[in-house]
Amino acid sequence: MFVLITYDIATTSDSGKKRLRKVAKACVNYGQRVQNSVFECKLDTAQCRKLELELEDLIDTDTDSLRFYYLGKTKETKVKHIGAKAAYDIEGPIII
């Protein structure tokens, strides 16, 4: 399934800046950044739950927030992109 993950981490303190880096790093391991605090991920149910728990452990629920948007199996019919920063095909081959 395709999942859009957004987050807002309070960065007024050093600990907030550290949380922000950890959340971004965790998301990079599962998908691609499409905007500063927005990631598109293709996950199965187990991966999705694992990521949810991992991110929940990283944030401070009193000051930070996470949102998960479940787009189903075909994001192409639900996501329209206009402008710069074209994303790579998350289902295509990766050539390094």
Side-chain angles (χ1 to χ4, degrees):
M1 82 178 100
F2 287 97
V3 181
L4 189 71
I5 301 171
T6 67
Y7 53 86
D8 187 20
I9 308 298
T11 57
T12 54
S13 67
D14 287 339
S15 63
K17 292 174 186 174
K18 188 175 182 179
R19 286 194 312 276
L20 177 64
R21 287 190 300 273
K22 286 183 177 184
V23 168
K25 186 175 180 179
C27 289
V28 165
N29 291 333
Y30 288 89
Q32 69 175 326
R33 183 187 300 260
V34 292
Q35 289 187 359
N36 284 340
S37 297
V38 181
F39 283 81
E40 286 179 347
C41 304
K42 183 176 184 214
L43 309 168
D44 61 32
T45 305
Q47 290 172 318
C48 188
R49 186 65 184 139
K50 181 179 176 185
L51 181 56
E52 287 173 358
L53 292 172
E54 184 177 341
L55 294 176
E56 192 175 331
D57 285 343
L58 291 174
I59 70 164
D60 178 347
T61 56
D62 292 331
T63 59
D64 306 334
S65 70
L66 286 169
R67 287 181 180 255
F68 295 85
Y69 297 91
Y70 304 99
L71 302 176
K73 294 184 180 186
T74 55
K75 73 171 181 144
E76 290 78 17
T77 61
K78 298 175 183 177
V79 177
K80 180 178 180 179
H81 176 260
I82 300 171
K85 294 180 112 176
Y88 65 86
D89 179 7
I90 200 164
E91 292 188 283
I94 297 175
I95 301 172
I96 299 176

